[in-house]
Amino acid sequence: MALQATPYKVHLNLTDTDRAIYENLRMTVARHPSETGQRMIARVLAYGIWFQERLGFGRGLSEVDEPALWHKSLDDRIEHWIEVGQPDAERLTWCSRRAERVSLLVYGNARAWSAKVLPAVAGLKNLHIAALPQEPLDLLAENLTRTIDWGLMITDGILYVSDAEIQVELPLEWLMGER
């Protein structure tokens, strides 16, 4: 018998002063049985970082031909493909051929990954890569509950995540391109 995804109720009070976006967002995020807390949090943070209308979660781990998040046009073209984690160069090249814009939010040991992958994808003009610091991401994962009620403020390229108990600062490091 296959394991079922675990639903998480997420409320994000998004304040993005860099892009003048102020939204109160509610969603249900499915966590695949093999997905880590860090990856799920990275998906939620990526949603806030690149938020726009019609941005949606892909089936991700259960469907390899879909991203973690994507924004489609009204005629179903993929305008923005968003990945999280540390995909290889072949995956990033494959993604860049399917969308007008590709963004990646890296977490984990980005130094070893970037030394291997960044030179191989340097020619992809529609690819933008940002890295999250590991310690604050781990802190958020330790305090993960099935109901997430976060304030997410983005200002000067720094993410501030807060709830009733903690406040975490996550400065984005841009490895390639821009937001």
Side-chain angles (χ1 to χ4, degrees):
M1 182 173 178
L3 296 174
Q4 297 293 316
T6 304
Y8 284 74
K9 297 292 185 187
V10 179
H11 170 232
L12 279 184
N13 184 345
L14 176 63
T15 303
D16 186 342
T17 61
D18 295 345
R19 297 187 302 151
I21 294 175
Y22 308 93
E23 294 286 336
N24 200 12
L25 307 167
R26 293 188 184 279
M27 67 200 90
T28 300
V29 178
R31 181 176 172 185
H32 191 274
S34 66
E35 184 174 34
T36 65
Q38 288 88 346
R39 185 179 190 284
M40 194 194 84
I41 290 168
R43 287 192 301 132
V44 170
L45 293 176
Y47 188 88
I49 292 167
W50 288 292
F51 174 77
Q52 57 185 313
E53 285 188 44
R54 296 189 321 275
L55 180 65
F57 290 93
R59 289 180 283 194
L61 292 175
S62 62
E63 182 61 50
V64 296
D65 289 343
E66 288 190 14
L69 299 141
W70 53 8
H71 177 262
K72 290 186 173 183
S73 66
L74 293 174
D75 63 355
D76 212 33
R77 285 179 300 108
I78 302 170
E79 294 179 337
H80 195 177
W81 182 293
I82 302 169
E83 291 281 323
V84 297
Q86 297 182 2
D88 59 24
E90 291 90 31
R91 171 74 178 183
L92 292 172
T93 302
W94 184 85
C95 297
S96 72
R97 293 181 183 141
R98 281 155 182 74
E100 295 173 20
R101 178 181 171 91
V102 176
S103 297
L104 170 62
L105 190 58
V106 177
Y107 64 92
N109 184 359
R111 188 176 320 177
W113 173 88
S114 63
K116 179 181 175 186
V117 174
L118 287 182
V121 297
L124 300 176
K125 301 300 179 204
N126 65 339
L127 178 61
H128 307 270
I129 302 173
L132 286 172
Q134 191 61 43
E135 283 185 35
L137 187 63
D138 289 342
L139 181 62
L140 289 171
E142 287 172 17
N143 295 300
L144 192 58
T145 62
R146 296 273 305 275
T147 302
I148 299 169
D149 188 3
W150 284 347
L152 175 59
M153 184 171 78
I154 305 169
T155 186
D156 296 327
I158 300 173
L159 281 64
Y160 298 91
V161 179
S162 60
D163 66 11
E165 299 179 21
I166 61 170
Q167 179 172 337
V168 177
E169 181 178 319
L170 297 112
L172 289 177
E173 178 186 356
W174 287 95
L175 305 175
M176 190 170 155
E178 60 189 10
R179 185 157 65 133

